[in-house]
Amino acid sequence: MINTMECAVDAQSLISISLRKIHNSRTQRGGIKLHKNLLVSYVLRNARQVYMNEKYAEIYRMQQYEEVMTVCNEIQELNPLDLVEDCEEQTADCCGSANESASLCGALLPVSHQAPSVQHLQPSSACSVPLALQSEEVCKAPEPSFYRSCCAEAYPVSNCDFSPVNSMHCNKTTVLDLDTHVVTTVENGYLHQDCCASLQQCCQGAQSPAKKRKLDFGYYVSEIEEVPDFTPCKRAKFEDSSYASTEPLDTSNISNLISIFGSGFSGLVSRQADLEQALNGQFCSKQALASLGAWTRAIVAF
Amino acid sequence: MDEEIDTRKINNSFLRDHNYATEVQPVQTLDYIDSIKAFFFSDNGQLRSFTQPEPPLMRRQEAFNRTADIISTVEFNSTGELLATGDKGGRVVVFQREQESKNQPHRRGEYNVYSTFQSHEPEFDYLKSLEIEEKINKIRWLPQQNAAYFLLSTNDKTVKLWKISERDKRPEGYNLKDEEGRIRDPTTITALRILLDHKTVKLWKISERDKRPEGYNLKDEEGRIRDPTTITALRVPVLRPMDLMVEATPRRIFSNAHTYHINSISVNSDYETYMSTDDLRINLWNLEITNRSFNIVDIKPANMEELTEVITAAEFHPNQCNTFVYSSSKGSIRLCDMRTSALCDNHSKLFEEPEDPSNRSFFSEIISSISDVKFSHSGRYLMTRDYLTVKVWDINMESKPLETYQVHDYLRSKLCSLYENDCIFDKFECVWNGTDSVLMTGSYNNFFRMFDRNTKRDVTLEASRENSKPRAILKPRKVCVGGKRRKDEISVDSLDFSKKILHTAWHPNENIIAVAATNNLYIFQDKVN
């Protein structure tokens, strides 16, 4: 029976529900049902897109606000009376154009324009949003909703390029082809149509780290090893990220069934902690995640 | 004729989860059969009255609500004389229509159980560590060519050809026991055996005492040696009538051709070939040959990571033996001509309707996935069923469907909940009536819907015992969408989504329908005035 209260059509809950379905399908009688899992992967993708768009829109607004406040504060030092108008102008400028003053709007440069070097940018109080892995569709969104972290190293970015760092993030899945009985190792995600903006961490001073974290669960293990590349604020992020998050992790690379199964559900964290415990206590434990050998080499029979 | 037996059998109890039925027992077939007579559209569009006997067996059904009894397919044969159902436990039950008798005119042509047999057993694929369900996914009848009936039944991996034949005479007399007095299997008595030496038949003349007769026909039925001087003639068995016995024997087993789950089978109009369809491939078989099949469609991508759609159903054209269609999970239908090439990956026609962007949601892909495709009897039209609609396509127009019927559009706002409880993945089937003028498909709450293409009228009926009194009219039901609910209406939130009608069948010539509601089968037919 359907509840009279329609379930919250929330992207995050849909993602966790979908992952749970895929997980359960592995133990279902009769084997993995290709059709159903394909449909679930579509829901996952749609939910992820919405989730990402919402997040970026929110962060954009956050950044805008903070940028404006920074400008306003600076202006206020000069002339308290010009506060309001200048702030508005600055906001408009920041929103609209690309190459404004490096100190302010450089942080807001859309990915596709250029790769400003880090040195020119002063880290603002709020690091900008990380660039999680995105699908092509998201990258092609008309609004400039994707920003490079001001804290990050400069990565050469084009729509479908990937940096050396990214390749180290690649998850390996062992795939058994049911027809030819050939076992192949598949490098997930980056080889094909997925857009390959670099994956970066972010510190969100204002927000709770767990909520804003954009860690793709599939790449969890390798990222722990990449810690030295990141600034201290990111390192702090890692410590936080080891705690169980109350939100489901972002499933950046869910463009296909292989990667979903291969990533081992290490990010399957549901809002209901007790359900997690019932499912598998491993999901939350960092030790288990660290020993993800079995997970990252999941044998997917398709 | 080779008969291959699949010897990979497992102990049922080993693999059963405690949630499932623990054993598949030879069930009393009438447990889940519920014959209710009711009516629907008459030829003039009027709803006629219904009648419903109360068979005593109905009471027992509540006690036997096992998963294995859930009906998974329903199919009339080409004359409508027989009706076959398959269930999750791998059993097939065949009903036969009674001959009309003048003595009981009101019991015109009821369907009674004719044969029951276990078609498929659960299996285990040791190579891939996969359990293979015994659930019957589809049954298709072959056209009748002699006294016996033939049907194809399939589970996820194996198609079987079954022969259903009657025996109403029994041989009696001689030549039925072997030399030790054991009764011989009547089916193996293929010839009288005269005196045999190795593999040679020899005719001996017994006239001298220095030779001793050996062989057959020298002992009587109890094994006592007969006096040779009394052997003057061979005695042959005599056929005596017996109670009708219907037996089903597997004649062909078509296995090891599908990597993925079989979802459809379709017999070709040439009556020589048929095709079986799984998620990614379609294979063409000759009904006589089990060790070879031809792959005619293969949509498996070179890299499985690029998989975007699967095949959901396929059917041969009713008249043109070179033409077939298959539907996909993306909502498109492809018509293929086998004459163009051996591998029909390139379609001849592609039927696709562009998606309405205003209806875009998280679940757009799921609800556009086609769950069933059926040619009309004429072969001119196609009918497709997706989650919320039934569409009729003209073969000659690929750009958009001819007609679209909303089955239960009130569910559009409930898709999220239906996704959570998995109902959004339900695969509803759809059927044409004999004249291609009425469409029928199932819904939830044991409702099923009929659409009259000519008058554009539609009706919602319910298959349930509680709401149908004997000889009462089957009342049209209505789902109230919002606001005020009238007296007989049901609100969307009161619908029982565990009661779903996925499988229905329509008699090829008459207005008789079979509706499978979970583990009950309802048969409705026109009333005779």
Side-chain angles (χ1 to χ4, degrees):
Chain A
M1 304 275 280
I2 287 185
N3 301 326
T4 48
M5 298 239 316
E6 178 59 56
C7 76
V9 185
D10 176 46
Q12 286 181 346
S13 64
L14 271 184
I15 289 174
S16 73
I17 292 169
S18 304
L19 290 174
R20 200 174 304 136
K21 282 190 197 299
I22 294 182
H23 174 78
N24 290 339
S25 79
R26 301 177 91 166
T27 51
Q28 252 172 20
R29 199 167 165 249
I32 298 175
K33 293 186 174 28
L34 189 61
H35 183 202
K36 180 176 176 186
N37 284 292
L38 184 69
L39 295 178
V40 171
S41 76
Y42 276 117
V43 174
L44 258 182
R45 189 191 305 193
N46 294 338
R48 182 193 66 169
Q49 284 178 9
V50 169
Y51 180 77
M52 304 275 278
N53 290 341
E54 284 172 0
K55 278 286 174 266
Y56 284 124
E58 190 178 337
I59 285 158
Y60 174 65
R61 281 193 299 275
M62 272 294 305
Q63 283 196 324
Q64 243 194 322
Y65 171 76
E66 284 168 6
E67 295 294 340
V68 166
M69 289 317 294
T70 311
V71 170
C72 289
N73 290 338
E74 289 174 0
I75 291 172
Q76 200 171 13
E77 293 162 11
L78 304 170
N79 185 354
L81 298 175
D82 292 334
L83 185 67
V84 174
E85 298 149 31
D86 282 356
C87 280
E88 286 175 4
E89 283 175 27
Q90 287 294 335
T91 309
D93 286 347
C94 279
C95 290
S97 65
N99 278 328
E100 292 297 318
S101 76
S103 62
L104 293 174
C105 295
L108 300 179
L109 283 173
V111 169
S112 51
H113 286 290
Q114 54 166 291
S117 64
V118 176
Q119 294 81 357
H120 296 306
L121 303 174
Q122 33 175 324
S124 62
S125 53
C127 296
S128 63
V129 70
L131 293 171
L133 302 167
Q134 302 146 12
S135 70
E136 255 188 355
E137 307 91 273
V138 179
C139 279
K140 286 174 185 158
E143 52 184 355
S145 40
F146 312 115
Y147 305 93
R148 182 169 312 113
S149 166
C150 59
C151 303
E153 298 171 11
Y155 290 95
V157 176
S158 61
N159 266 347
C160 290
D161 196 359
F162 53 92
S163 72
V165 176
N166 288 337
S167 63
M168 286 186 258
H169 290 238
C170 277
N171 196 12
K172 283 193 166 68
T173 305
T174 303
V175 181
L176 165 67
D177 187 314
L178 286 181
D179 287 317
T180 59
H181 301 293
V182 168
V183 175
T184 53
T185 303
V186 175
E187 307 272 332
N188 275 337
Y190 291 109
L191 299 183
H192 301 286
Q193 63 273 23
D194 275 0
C195 190
C196 306
S198 57
L199 172 68
Q200 306 198 9
Q201 288 295 293
C202 95
C203 279
Q204 294 282 335
Q207 312 277 344
S208 77
K211 197 172 165 60
K212 290 302 178 187
R213 179 164 48 94
K214 281 268 189 294
L215 178 60
D216 176 61
F217 56 81
Y219 304 86
Y220 197 96
V221 173
S222 23
E223 295 209 319
I224 292 174
E225 291 138 22
E226 301 311 316
V227 165
D229 288 339
F230 292 90
T231 61
C233 75
K234 293 185 198 291
R235 195 187 302 273
K237 200 64 173 75
F238 263 122
E239 307 322 322
D240 288 335
S241 65
S242 67
Y243 303 137
S245 160
T246 54
E247 309 285 359
L249 294 175
D250 182 65
T251 62
S252 303
N253 188 28
I254 54 167
S255 61
N256 56 72
L257 285 177
I258 303 281
S259 55
I260 295 171
F261 277 94
S263 52
F265 305 102
S266 55
L268 177 53
V269 178
S270 110
R271 284 173 299 190
Q272 301 147 350
D274 50 345
L275 179 60
E276 271 176 46
Q277 296 301 324
L279 280 180
N280 190 345
Q282 281 189 48
F283 285 148
C284 305
S285 122
K286 188 182 178 192
Q287 292 86 336
L289 291 171
S291 64
L292 271 176
W295 289 101
T296 56
R297 299 196 69 76
I299 301 223
V300 180
F302 274 133
Chain B
M1 296 194 286
D2 288 336
E3 294 177 21
E4 297 160 17
I5 309 295
D6 192 346
T7 55
R8 293 178 301 164
K9 297 217 188 311
I10 53 166
N11 183 1
N12 284 356
S13 57
F14 169 68
L15 283 169
R16 295 281 190 186
D17 187 350
H18 64 274
N19 285 331
Y20 298 104
T22 52
E23 285 166 29
V24 176
Q25 300 158 352
V27 82
Q28 293 179 34
T29 60
L30 296 182
D31 275 356
Y32 66 83
I33 291 153
D34 199 9
S35 285
I36 300 181
K37 308 296 185 274
F39 313 117
F40 43 88
F41 292 119
S42 68
D43 286 332
N44 59 10
Q46 218 179 352
L47 279 176
R48 295 159 132 226
S49 59
F50 298 86
T51 186
Q52 175 181 330
E54 288 263 349
L57 292 165
M58 280 202 306
R59 302 284 179 266
R60 277 202 278 164
Q61 296 185 36
E62 280 74 14
F64 293 93
N65 240 351
R66 306 183 304 180
T67 311
D69 289 341
I70 295 176
I71 299 174
S72 52
T73 183
V74 185
E75 184 82 357
F76 279 101
N77 76 337
S78 53
T79 61
E81 181 201 353
L82 298 179
L83 174 67
T85 63
D87 65 20
K88 271 195 164 183
R91 285 181 307 259
V92 172
V93 179
V94 179
F95 300 83
Q96 187 187 42
R97 194 172 182 195
E98 274 181 2
Q99 298 299 324
E100 295 184 25
S101 77
K102 296 189 177 60
N103 302 335
Q104 294 178 307
H106 63 277
R107 287 171 58 89
R108 185 184 74 122
E110 279 186 13
Y111 282 83
N112 301 313
V113 177
Y114 180 63
S115 170
T116 306
F117 56 94
Q118 184 77 31
S119 170
H120 287 73
E121 298 273 2
E123 292 173 35
F124 193 77
D125 183 337
Y126 295 98
L127 179 65
K128 297 159 191 167
S129 291
L130 291 175
E131 192 183 349
I132 301 169
E133 277 192 285
E134 68 277 27
K135 172 170 80 93
I136 307 293
N137 291 334
K138 280 291 185 318
I139 289 176
R140 289 290 182 262
W141 290 93
L142 267 58
Q144 194 173 4
Q145 288 170 323
N146 52 35
Y149 305 102
F150 289 87
L151 61 81
L152 287 170
S153 71
T154 184
N155 69 348
D156 282 341
K157 295 290 185 184
T158 304
V159 184
K160 294 188 182 179
L161 174 68
W162 287 87
K163 174 181 176 184
I164 301 167
S165 49
E166 293 180 12
R167 178 177 305 161
D168 60 353
K169 293 185 172 51
R170 182 185 52 194
E172 271 182 19
Y174 297 91
N175 243 285
L176 296 173
K177 292 185 183 173
D178 64 15
E179 287 306 294
E180 282 73 37
R182 292 186 297 252
I183 296 177
R184 289 164 63 188
D185 180 359
T187 59
T188 65
I189 300 175
T190 54
L192 293 171
R193 293 191 234 179
I194 321 176
L195 298 168
L196 275 182
D197 178 20
H198 300 294
K199 293 186 176 162
T200 312
V201 178
K202 294 183 180 177
L203 179 61
W204 290 80
K205 176 180 177 183
I206 305 168
S207 60
E208 310 210 4
R209 297 263 165 111
D210 58 348
K211 288 187 176 55
R212 189 175 45 143
E214 283 187 7
Y216 296 93
N217 246 282
L218 296 175
K219 295 183 184 173
D220 63 17
E221 289 304 298
E222 279 75 36
R224 293 185 294 257
I225 296 178
R226 289 163 65 185
D227 180 359
T229 58
T230 64
I231 301 175
T232 54
L234 292 171
R235 299 188 206 171
V236 301
V238 172
L239 293 176
R240 300 210 186 284
M242 60 177 257
D243 292 337
L244 175 64
M245 189 173 79
V246 181
E247 54 185 13
T249 48
R251 304 304 281 175
R252 304 273 188 282
I253 297 182
F254 307 91
S255 57
N256 298 322
H258 286 281
T259 307
Y260 304 97
H261 297 322
I262 297 176
N263 53 53
S264 310
I265 46 176
S266 179
V267 182
N268 204 348
S269 49
D270 63 7
Y271 302 154
E272 286 181 6
T273 56
Y274 77 95
M275 66 175 172
S276 56
T277 309
D278 67 26
D279 289 323
L280 297 178
R281 299 195 177 95
I282 302 181
N283 292 334
L284 184 71
W285 301 82
N286 184 302
L287 283 163
E288 300 290 330
I289 299 171
T290 60
N291 58 3
R292 194 173 9 147
S293 71
F294 296 93
N295 176 246
I296 51 177
V297 174
D298 187 342
I299 65 167
K300 182 180 178 183
N303 187 348
M304 276 296 277
E305 292 192 337
E306 294 162 15
L307 179 73
T308 56
E309 68 179 324
V310 297
I311 302 173
T312 53
E315 197 184 39
F316 269 116
H317 191 281
N319 309 319
Q320 300 166 14
C321 58
N322 56 289
T323 306
F324 65 93
V325 292
Y326 68 92
S327 59
S328 86
S329 57
K330 274 194 168 171
S332 63
I333 308 105
R334 286 171 175 79
L335 184 140
C336 300
D337 186 336
M338 292 196 289
R339 295 171 302 189
T340 56
S341 69
L343 195 58
C344 297
D345 282 356
N346 297 322
H347 53 264
S348 302
K349 297 195 184 192
L350 172 64
F351 301 88
E352 207 172 24
E353 185 178 27
E355 187 194 346
D356 180 4
S358 65
N359 271 337
R360 179 103 193 119
S361 76
F362 289 112
F363 311 104
S364 295
E365 286 85 2
I366 300 188
I367 63 171
S368 64
S369 173
I370 293 178
S371 52
D372 194 16
V373 64
K374 291 269 171 45
F375 270 103
S376 64
H377 291 89
S378 60
R380 168 82 192 271
Y381 302 104
L382 280 174
M383 169 166 52
T384 59
R385 175 74 155 98
D386 51 55
Y387 190 65
L388 297 177
T389 69
V390 170
K391 293 180 181 166
V392 175
W393 303 76
D394 187 324
I395 294 277
N396 301 318
M397 182 166 72
E398 302 171 52
S399 54
K400 62 185 172 75
L402 203 59
E403 301 149 22
T404 302
Y405 301 94
Q406 302 293 332
V407 180
H408 38 215
D409 201 58
Y410 45 79
L411 296 183
R412 199 178 285 272
S413 56
K414 308 284 184 194
L415 292 180
C416 188
S417 310
L418 293 167
Y419 178 71
E420 278 188 87
N421 63 16
D422 270 1
C423 283
I424 206 174
F425 301 104
D426 288 334
K427 295 191 180 152
F428 292 94
E429 293 174 6
C430 53
V431 290
W432 297 88
N433 76 333
T435 55
D436 298 337
S437 58
V438 181
L439 318 171
M440 177 168 67
T441 189
S443 179
Y444 293 103
N445 210 72
N446 279 352
F447 287 170
F448 58 101
R449 301 262 283 143
M450 288 187 191
F451 304 93
D452 189 322
R453 295 179 63 210
N454 301 326
T455 65
K456 301 301 179 199
R457 284 178 48 194
D458 62 85
V459 71
T460 305
L461 301 170
E462 183 177 356
S464 91
R465 292 191 298 275
E466 292 80 24
N467 293 332
S468 307
K469 292 177 298 192
R471 298 192 180 274
I473 297 174
L474 199 65
K475 217 169 39 172
R477 308 305 307 261
K478 193 153 164 52
V479 178
C480 126
V481 187
K484 259 180 59 171
R485 185 179 78 89
R486 288 200 203 95
K487 191 180 143 218
D488 288 328
E489 290 182 355
I490 293 190
S491 75
V492 179
D493 299 318
S494 319
L495 295 175
D496 186 347
F497 289 87
S498 65
K499 293 186 183 169
K500 53 193 85 170
I501 292 181
L502 305 173
H503 312 285
T504 59
W506 203 307
H507 190 288
N509 308 316
E510 300 180 33
N511 279 341
I512 304 175
I513 59 172
V515 175
T518 318
N519 54 355
N520 293 325
L521 180 73
Y522 294 77
I523 300 177
F524 301 100
Q525 61 188 19
D526 258 351
K527 177 184 180 182
V528 177
N529 282 331

